[in-house]
Amino acid sequence: MTFESFGFPSLLLSNIKAMGYTAPTPIQSQAMPAVMQGRDLMGLAQTGTGKTAAFLLPILTRLVNNKPTGPRRKVRALILAPTRELAEQIHEAAMDLGRGTGIRSTTIYGGCAMSRQLSALRQGTDIVVACPGRLLDHMGQRTIDLSGVEVLVLDEGDQMFDMGFLPGIKKILAALPRQRQTLLFSATMPDAIRGLAAECLTEPETVRVGNSNPVETVSHAIYPVGQHLKTRLLQELLDRNKSGSVLVFTRTKHRAKRLAETLAKGGLSATSIQGNLSQAQRKIAMDGFRAGRYRVLVATDIAARGIDVSQIEHVVNYDVPSTPETYTHRIGRTGRASRTGEAHTFVTGEDVSMVRAIERLLREPLARKKLEGFDYNASVPAGEREFQRPPLEPRARAYDRPQAARPSRPYRPSGHSDRSASEGYTSHPAQPGDNIYASDRPAGDRPRSDRPAYGRPQGNRPLGPRVQGSRPQGGTGYSSGNR
Ligand code: AMP
């Protein structure tokens, strides 16, 4: 299938070419014919599959073929996304794909002044890419008119549900014209999303992209290690893998910040992105990472949602995720659009049940790895006490299972107070090859996929001149609360 076969206007075809897209990705081939016909869609696909263009190209075609008339433009396409970063990425993709068409797009999300959004809305915009919280604020203040919406896109439905946006989305749905096209994208299909689909889609075409499963394109490995040696192990790992961008996940904002600082002190180009940063700071960190100025980005799960950096080669789970689904979301950041990538997960004695839960979800054993020559018996490095303590957040109870192999014992490294034990933190330094980490099944690295890569050759997003429209700058926090 070629892009020419969908009937896009020639200007869009040349923009597609300029983006470096030579052929549609599977989600694009499967979804776009139905979307071009005006049908509703349930798209089961993760970020990284090319789903953004799968909905933007038909929307842009509709807008180009039926150009707005009259002095005031009404919002004709509304795209809801869970995070500001994702909203920005969609908006930028709309600008790139719609270059030269005169179509206007604007973003609406919390954490920044209303004034810029108000003036963009007053000037008139064709596409609004919004996070639900701030959009509801505008609706409450009657500063946005949604009576002309022809297409609604709900992107990353499961993430929006996880973040508690479902009641807000239902309010937004109730305020939209009944006669419209609705496209719902979600990586997974929990009951809540099934319910939402039944409520808002009419005879939808359902498209599922098989290769959205990162298991297929990513090689996974877990590294048993003591909590206190994680930073050293990471530094060693980065030293041995000198190429490619690295996204590191920690469980808390504080750990993300401190870890990035420690890595930077050690000479690595590292930065962090977490909810304590202002929007302007986050943008500097993200742009620097995308442009390759920072090789390492340390992030929390919420901050990293939907991040699209085409060439992340390594994802490191410095702390295990709190649910197995989060594992797939995290590693979905690498191996994107059928590229290959590597996922490295550091596990301590406490993480056994989560590792097993991840293996059950992936239906794959995770390879256990040990870095040859790394001193797993080293004592706590001075000045790195920060990382001795296990994360503060409670574990996801659903996955806590009795750990039969060995009871965990309080971890009290020298010079560390008893505070962690008294607060209920328990951990023990892992021993490489310790049985507690053994998989039920034989482990081995998954073979890399040799499918062709879809992405652009250069990896970094070309930030071409904006089509038109405005983009809010600065500000702090998420519309859903600062995380
Ligand atoms: P998405 O899943 O929409 O976040 O897209 C992931 C990445 O794939 C983005 O960097 C897109 O620019 C890129 N992409 C989307 N469609 C194509 C295509 N047909 N060929 C090459 N790259 C693409």
Side-chain angles (χ1 to χ4, degrees), residues 3 19-25 28 46-53 89 308 310 336-337 454-456 461:
F3 280 112
M19 300 277 285
Y21 302 173
T22 48
T25 64
Q28 291 164 359
Q46 287 191 330
T47 309
T49 52
K51 67 182 163 65
T52 313
Q89 276 172 202
D308 168 27
S310 312
R336 298 163 75 81
Y454 291 118
R456 292 187 204 106
R461 296 172 67 78

Side-chain angles (χ1 to χ4, degrees), residues 14 70 81 98 108 119 130 133 137 161 171 217 323 326-327 334 344 414 420 430:
S14 48
I108 286 189
S119 86
D137 291 346
F161 166 63
K171 274 189 206 151
T217 53
T323 68
T326 307
Y327 179 85
T334 184
H344 315 266
S414 58
S420 61

Side-chain angles (χ1 to χ4, degrees), residues 357-369:
I358 293 167
E359 289 179 325
R360 278 199 300 277
L361 183 84
L362 300 183
R363 299 203 191 110
E364 286 288 335
L366 295 170
R368 274 66 175 158
K369 272 200 180 165

Side-chain angles (χ1 to χ4, degrees), residues 60-170:
L60 289 166
T61 301
R62 173 193 284 260
L63 299 177
V64 169
N65 287 347
N66 182 5
K67 278 250 169 86
T69 50
R72 271 200 69 177
R73 295 173 180 212
K74 278 193 165 186
V75 179
R76 293 174 61 196
L78 174 64
I79 301 164
L80 295 181
T83 64
R84 301 181 300 198
E85 274 79 18
L86 186 58
E88 278 296 331
Q89 276 172 202
I90 296 168
H91 169 69
E92 283 177 15
M95 293 188 299
D96 289 340
L97 290 169
R99 181 170 301 148
T101 59
I103 304 295
R104 294 186 194 167
S105 165
T106 196
T107 50
I108 286 189
Y109 47 66
C112 48
M114 288 282 237
S115 50
R116 281 193 197 86
Q117 297 171 5
L118 288 175
S119 86
L121 290 172
R122 241 178 260 126
Q123 280 166 24
T125 180
D126 308 293
I127 302 175
V128 164
V129 190
C131 294
R134 178 58 67 91
L135 179 65
L136 283 163
D137 291 346
H138 279 282
M139 288 165 63
Q141 294 177 25
R142 297 183 189 281
T143 45
I144 190 165
D145 174 9
L146 297 175
S147 64
V149 170
E150 297 165 28
V151 188
L152 168 71
V153 180
L154 300 163
D155 198 12
E156 306 225 339
D158 51 355
Q159 302 275 15
M160 290 206 276
F161 166 63
D162 280 353
M163 292 172 77
F165 285 138
L166 209 51
I169 288 173
K170 292 193 175 171

